[in-house]
């Protein structure tokens, strides 16, 4: 049966588990959230550290194995993954693309649909500014998740940000297009959702 990922993604249930991934070949960050209605809570977040492995193909195998382990443990309904950004170093871009592809392949091997988001889109969804620093994203995540502490590694918080971006995107939150009014417009239209 052929299922278009995009069509499936538009039918996200009110309760879901989302796995967010910040791909990398040295360190891959991940964050898992549980969404129940409008409530979002962190399940876990961390990093897959690969910098001690010299062989690139073994790094890719480790990414696949660890992703499958996360999926089998937490049973996410969707994968939200950061798309590679465009850089000047072609070799780095190729390696990053491979890491992203392996993470997606691991999800698809377990029938978990995925969605990609540009780094600027993730930052914009979390902070309202696509040029935010990693520290600003982490601070806003603490507020969104109502947590005193988050993992110290920015790769892990970037994975969480990808998961929350996916949730917001499917709820119509944080989508700032053109002159739509941004967050102030959202607050006026959704005052019942503000704590």
């Amino acid at each position: 049966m052929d299922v278009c990922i995009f069509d499936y993604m538009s039918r996200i249930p009110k309760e879901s588990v989302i796995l967010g991934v910040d791909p990398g070949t040295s360190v891959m960050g991940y964050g898992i959230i549980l969404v129940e209605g409008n409530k979002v809570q962190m399940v876990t977040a961390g990093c897959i550290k690969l910098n001690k492995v010299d062989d690139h193909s073994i790094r890719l195998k480790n990414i696949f194995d660890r992703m499958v382990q996360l999926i089998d443990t937490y049973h996410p309904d969707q994968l939200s993954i950061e798309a590679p950004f465009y850089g000047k170093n072609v070799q780095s871009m190729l390696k990053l693309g491979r890491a992203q592809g392996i993470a997606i392949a691991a999800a698809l091997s377990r029938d978990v649909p995925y969605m990609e988001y540009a780094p600027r889109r993730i930052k914009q969804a979390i902070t309202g500014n696509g040029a935010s620093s990693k520290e600003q994203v982490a601070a806003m995540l603490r507020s969104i998740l109502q947590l005193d502490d988050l993992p110290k590694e920015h790769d892990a918080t970037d994975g969480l940000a990808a998961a929350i971006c996916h949730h917001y995107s499917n709820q119509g939150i944080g989508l700032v297009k053109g002159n739509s009014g941004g967050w102030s417009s959202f607050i006026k239209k959704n005052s019942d959702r503000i704590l």
Side-chain angles (χ1 to χ4, degrees):
M1 178 176 157
D2 291 321
V3 177
C4 176
I5 298 289
F6 183 78
D7 288 345
Y8 178 80
M9 297 301 287
S10 66
R11 293 182 264 130
I12 293 173
K14 288 292 180 192
E15 179 178 313
S16 62
V17 177
I18 302 170
L19 167 58
V21 171
D22 176 31
T25 54
S26 293
V27 179
M28 178 175 277
Y30 64 88
I32 300 175
I33 60 170
L34 171 64
V35 178
E36 295 175 298
N38 291 329
K39 185 180 175 192
V40 178
Q41 66 185 84
M42 181 180 82
V43 175
T44 189
C47 295
I48 302 169
K49 296 187 178 181
L50 305 156
N51 47 356
K52 292 184 179 177
V53 179
D54 291 329
D55 187 327
H56 186 69
S57 60
I58 293 177
R59 284 185 186 197
L60 296 176
K61 182 183 182 320
N62 289 347
I63 290 169
F64 185 87
D65 292 345
R66 185 67 173 114
M67 285 292 297
V68 166
Q69 182 183 27
L70 285 168
I71 292 165
D72 289 348
T73 301
Y74 295 101
H75 307 287
D77 299 295
Q78 305 104 33
L79 168 69
S80 173
I81 191 161
E82 186 175 300
F85 58 91
Y86 296 100
K88 293 180 181 177
N89 187 329
V90 176
Q91 286 301 317
S92 294
M93 288 293 301
L94 286 170
K95 288 179 182 178
L96 187 59
R98 287 182 194 131
Q100 183 201 34
I102 291 292
I104 290 170
L108 293 176
S109 78
R110 293 298 196 255
D111 296 320
V112 176
Y114 75 94
M115 193 68 163
E116 281 184 71
Y117 295 95
R120 289 184 65 85
R121 172 69 192 95
I122 293 171
K123 290 176 183 180
Q124 183 178 20
I126 303 303
T127 68
N129 178 359
S132 298
S133 69
K134 290 181 178 288
E135 292 79 14
Q136 290 169 317
V137 170
M140 196 64 183
L141 285 172
R142 274 193 294 279
S143 175
I144 291 167
L145 296 168
Q146 300 177 359
L147 295 172
D148 293 330
D149 271 339
L150 284 174
K152 295 195 185 324
E153 299 95 349
H154 289 303
D155 300 285
T157 54
D158 286 351
L160 273 175
I164 292 174
C165 172
H166 182 65
H167 165 62
Y168 283 177
S169 295
N170 286 284
Q171 299 299 314
I173 302 170
L175 297 175
V176 181
K177 292 183 179 177
N179 195 10
S180 65
W183 283 109
S184 59
S185 175
F186 173 79
I187 290 169
K188 284 179 188 173
K189 293 176 187 174
N190 297 282
S191 58
D192 60 316
R193 296 173 76 177
I194 308 300
L195 298 176

